[in-house]
Amino acid sequence: MTEKPSLHLLIAAPRGFCAGVDRAILIVDRTLEKYGAPVYVRHEIVHNRYVVDELKAKGAVFVETLDDVPDGAPVVFSAHGVPKAVPAKAEARGLTWLDATCPLVSKVHRQAERLVEAGRHIIFVGHAGHPEVIGTFGQVPPGAMTLVETVDDVLQLEPADTDALAFLTQTTLSVDDTAEIVEALRARFPGIVAPRGEDICYATSNRQAAVKAITARAEAIFVIGSPNSSNSLRLAEVAERGNVPARLIGRAEEIDFDWLGSPKVVGITAGASAPEILVREVVAKLATRFTITEEEVRTATESMIFKLPRALTENA
């Protein structure tokens, strides 16, 4: 019997679920407990197929619009946030609704409202079409915000009043890319008002820092997450920027051993919506081809916990 080659795994920490994702999943679970199945969820509660399938098995029904929610059924809004028109429509229909928007996204929503009330036009740094961007734009009147995705977009801006600008950012962006865009904004518009504190969430920043720590030693990196997960995509980009080949995979079965080859050291991390069970699954799959040793590389410890909506804690 041929002896398996050795492979040392550098497992990034923090990785996987953040407090906002924990809260969102718990909201769906508690809503199912309180009201019984089915519970409708507008958009994927978080961007992870495994999580969505687990909740479907418990009785959650995922829809893209409130028009697909029957009268009288409870509905949960996803962690990415929704435009103001969505809860307003739910109220008008008399639906029981619960908001699983991450509190850090909600903070950006409130900042947007305050800035527009103060007469400022907002330059929003984000990715077109992402649910978080759609939700944030939906907090303010049409035309009150302009989206930029790159430094080139910043250079093309022609605002009506350069003295009344502010900027905000999507919470799941690349820290490095965003810093470059913000630098370009400040250079073009020195009076632009910055957000109160960092918009990119602590979990996104921490996971990117952990990936940077393992790129110094890894020959390849697996990022566990869904292709529609912004923060997971950014983790793969951070690895590539560190000149380490990276692959975004949803499950262990997606490991391409031909691509991987015969490395001695491989890094593993997971996006903020990927559960730890998927990390263990990937390690187990690698162990079918290699003799594994594991090392956790920790760059931060997270203790954040977000409260559940009052409707789920009353009389609990």
Side-chain angles (χ1 to χ4, degrees), residues 176-249:
D176 293 335
D177 288 347
T178 305
E180 290 175 9
I181 295 170
V182 168
E183 189 178 327
L185 280 170
R186 291 186 190 277
R188 274 209 72 192
F189 312 111
I192 196 166
V193 170
R196 294 183 188 173
E198 183 65 73
D199 280 347
I200 296 176
C201 85
Y202 76 94
T204 297
S205 301
N206 286 350
R207 278 150 192 71
Q208 289 178 25
V211 167
K212 286 180 182 178
I214 62 176
T215 55
R217 295 164 56 195
E219 297 163 62
I221 290 178
F222 287 113
V223 177
I224 303 164
S226 295
N228 60 340
S229 164
S230 176
N231 78 87
S232 299
L233 289 167
R234 304 294 83 77
L235 292 175
E237 289 172 2
V238 167
E240 295 274 6
R241 181 174 279 192
N243 295 317
V244 179
R247 278 287 171 96
L248 179 68
I249 57 172

Side-chain angles (χ1 to χ4, degrees), residues 89-300:
K89 184 174 181 178
E91 288 282 347
R93 286 188 52 196
L95 296 175
T96 298
W97 59 273
L98 294 107
D99 189 0
T101 302
C102 173
L104 299 180
V105 175
S106 297
K107 184 188 81 167
V108 176
H109 289 180
R110 302 294 78 79
Q111 287 185 91
E113 289 178 315
R114 285 195 293 268
L115 288 165
V116 170
E117 285 169 5
R120 294 197 173 268
H121 183 84
I122 299 168
I123 309 300
F124 192 81
V125 184
H127 294 294
H130 190 277
E132 184 184 331
V133 174
I134 294 167
T136 305
F137 268 67
Q139 305 305 309
V140 297
M145 297 175 75
T146 299
L147 182 69
V148 296
E149 299 187 78
T150 65
V151 170
D152 282 345
D153 289 345
V154 173
L155 301 179
Q156 302 300 319
L157 288 172
E158 294 185 7
D161 184 355
T162 57
D163 294 325
L165 293 178
F167 73 88
L168 296 170
T169 79
Q170 187 178 330
T171 64
T172 53
L173 299 177
S174 157
V175 173
D176 293 335
D177 288 347
T178 305
E180 290 175 9
I181 295 170
V182 168
E183 189 178 327
L185 280 170
R186 291 186 190 277
R188 274 209 72 192
F189 312 111
I192 196 166
V193 170
R196 294 183 188 173
E198 183 65 73
D199 280 347
I200 296 176
C201 85
Y202 76 94
T204 297
S205 301
N206 286 350
R207 278 150 192 71
Q208 289 178 25
V211 167
K212 286 180 182 178
I214 62 176
T215 55
R217 295 164 56 195
E219 297 163 62
I221 290 178
F222 287 113
V223 177
I224 303 164
S226 295
N228 60 340
S229 164
S230 176
N231 78 87
S232 299
L233 289 167
R234 304 294 83 77
L235 292 175
E237 289 172 2
V238 167
E240 295 274 6
R241 181 174 279 192
N243 295 317
V244 179
R247 278 287 171 96
L248 179 68
I249 57 172
R251 299 292 297 267
E253 65 205 29
E254 296 174 28
I255 293 173
D256 182 344
F257 283 101
D258 290 336
W259 171 82
L260 184 61
S262 304
K264 298 293 185 189
V265 183
V266 166
I268 296 178
T269 189
S273 46
E276 182 65 15
I277 192 171
L278 300 186
V279 176
R280 302 323 308 169
E281 186 185 86
V282 167
V283 173
K285 184 74 170 180
L286 291 170
T288 65
R289 302 282 188 101
F290 299 92
T291 299
I292 299 294
T293 53
E294 294 183 46
E295 176 188 348
E296 185 173 74
V297 179
R298 178 167 293 280
T299 53

